[in-house]
């Protein structure tokens, strides 16, 4: 049975849209775990467009399941990961212009630089997974790289139309089998939704699916009416007492004496 890694990047995307403090992926990670997440995944991008360094530091200390850090294979990111020691690092290709990760890593042409980063991370006790397309040559190169895991890119399957989807699914099934024959353990992710996830989850040998966007979209749908109800309550029946200043409900912490009495 595949386990579920919940990707929290889009919570940080909403926060960064206002550069404020909410929603906080660190506090919402607890809810994801309460809901049954087997792991928490975040992508610390080089441009820090959503997840911030502070998020990964706090998640490392608070996540009770497993923390999977997605990142580019660069010296800066490897240093951060070695400091942090997440439960897994997933190496992904990264381009500044892209909206989200496009395509898998090209392990065939990546060369010694990638192998060195993998060695450094694994030498620090961090299992490394490579985000790759379910392509025979990429999988062989992944096995040669020294990594023990791959994450199969499911974007092609997710984007395929109804008639092409069986073919894309067959590629994933074959890729999963081939990877295992090469001694690799297999995760998958990208673009999976409530509608298309089941055939991928049912692939023999599939260990974990990393899913983000669709879960955040569903959370808005199932949580929005309650959020509006709570705001409506405040707007329609506000407390009349002043919240700040003289006789306030909310005391200025500076006005609390040493015994904690206002
Ligand atoms: N796996 C990888 C390597 C990714 O880059 C992403 C997107 O950040 C995901 C899984 C999750 O994709 P989605 O948000 O489409 O579920």
């Amino acid at each position: 049975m595949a386990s579920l890694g919940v990707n929290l990047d889009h919570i940080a995307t909403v926060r960064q849209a206002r550069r404020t403090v909410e929603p906080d992926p660190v506090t919402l990670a607890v809810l994801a775990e309460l809901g049954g997440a087997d792991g928490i995944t975040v992508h610390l991008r080089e441009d820090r467009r959503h997840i911030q360094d502070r998020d990964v530091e706090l998640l490392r200390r608070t996540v009770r399941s497993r923390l999977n850090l997605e990142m580019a294979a660069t010296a800066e990111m490897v240093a951060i990961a070695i400091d942090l020691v997440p439960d897994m690092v997933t190496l992904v290709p990264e381009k500044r212009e892209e909206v989200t990760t496009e395509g898998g890593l090209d392990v065939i042409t990546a060369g010694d630089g990638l192998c060195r980063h993998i060695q450094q991370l694994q030498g620090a006790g961090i299992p490394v997974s490579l985000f790759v397309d379910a392509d025979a040559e990429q999988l062989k190169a992944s096995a040669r790289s020294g990594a023990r895991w791959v994450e199969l890119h499911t974007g092609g399957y997710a984007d395929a139309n109804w008639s092409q989807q069986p073919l894309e699914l067959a590629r994933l099934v074959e890729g999963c089998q081939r990877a295992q024959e090469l001694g690799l353990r297999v995760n998958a992710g990208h673009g999976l939704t409530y509608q298309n996830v089941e055939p991928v989850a049912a692939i023999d040998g599939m260990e974990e699916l990393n899913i983000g966007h669709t879960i955040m979209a569903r959370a808005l749908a199932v949580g929005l009416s309650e959020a509006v109800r709570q705001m409506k309550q405040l707007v329609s029946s506000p407390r009349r007492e002043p919240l700040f200043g003289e006789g306030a409900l909310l005391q200025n912490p500076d006005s609390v004496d040493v015994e904690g009495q206002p």
Side-chain angles (χ1 to χ4, degrees):
M1 188 182 73
S3 58
L4 172 64
V6 176
N7 181 309
L8 301 181
D9 294 351
H10 293 293
I11 295 173
T13 300
V14 175
R15 177 190 60 193
Q16 294 313 110
R18 285 289 182 92
R19 303 228 190 297
T20 177
V21 294
E22 65 176 3
D24 187 344
V26 177
T27 48
L28 294 185
V30 176
L31 295 186
E33 288 185 326
L34 276 176
D38 301 293
I40 297 295
T41 297
V42 288
H43 184 173
L44 185 66
R45 294 186 74 104
E46 289 181 284
D47 62 10
R48 308 297 198 271
R49 70 170 71 156
H50 39 53
I51 293 293
Q52 305 295 304
D53 296 69
R54 162 266 185 211
D55 300 330
V56 289
E57 285 156 25
L58 290 174
L59 285 167
R60 172 66 295 185
R61 287 193 266 155
T62 53
V63 163
R64 289 288 162 262
S65 52
R66 283 179 275 117
L67 180 63
N68 173 24
L69 178 63
E70 280 180 22
M71 57 180 227
T74 64
E76 182 207 2
M77 287 298 155
V78 169
I80 290 173
I82 288 176
D83 224 28
L84 200 73
V85 197
D87 299 294
M88 176 170 283
V89 158
T90 301
L91 295 176
V92 300
E94 214 175 272
K95 289 194 223 112
R96 286 202 177 222
E97 326 78 64
E98 68 194 359
V99 175
T100 181
T101 314
E102 293 167 356
L105 274 175
D106 187 352
V107 190
I108 299 167
T109 60
D112 291 347
L114 179 66
C115 295
R116 255 197 314 279
H117 289 318
I118 294 169
Q119 263 171 19
Q120 282 176 292
L121 290 161
Q122 292 188 158
I126 306 165
V128 176
S129 177
L130 303 180
F131 183 56
V132 290
D133 292 324
D135 168 87
E137 296 309 313
Q138 292 294 348
L139 292 171
K140 278 189 215 158
S142 300
R144 281 197 303 272
S145 75
R148 300 273 179 275
W149 295 75
V150 284
E151 179 174 325
L152 297 181
H153 185 9
T154 51
Y157 162 78
D159 291 343
N161 63 29
W162 195 246
S163 63
Q164 289 298 310
Q165 225 163 22
L167 182 67
E168 293 294 335
L169 181 64
R171 282 206 179 110
L172 292 171
V173 172
E174 198 184 318
C176 185
Q177 196 182 335
R178 203 176 281 263
Q180 287 178 292
E181 285 162 9
L182 290 162
L184 294 160
R185 297 177 66 176
V186 186
N187 299 330
H190 209 285
L192 296 175
T193 65
Y194 289 84
Q195 290 73 34
N196 67 23
V197 70
E198 287 169 279
V200 180
I203 294 174
D204 276 343
M206 188 58 74
E207 296 210 33
E208 183 154 284
L209 300 182
N210 283 306
I211 306 179
H213 189 267
T214 201
I215 296 176
M216 299 312 143
R218 180 66 64 104
L220 285 180
V222 298
L224 188 61
S225 59
E226 175 61 15
V228 171
R229 200 192 60 71
Q230 290 180 15
M231 180 56 80
K232 175 102 173 173
Q233 173 76 20
L234 295 176
V235 170
S236 57
S237 317
R239 290 176 293 181
R240 299 285 169 186
E241 303 87 347
L243 292 183
F244 311 102
E246 195 85 352
L249 281 176
L250 303 178
Q251 288 291 339
N252 178 347
D254 295 342
S255 69
V256 175
D257 72 15
V258 282
E259 267 89 43
Q261 299 301 316

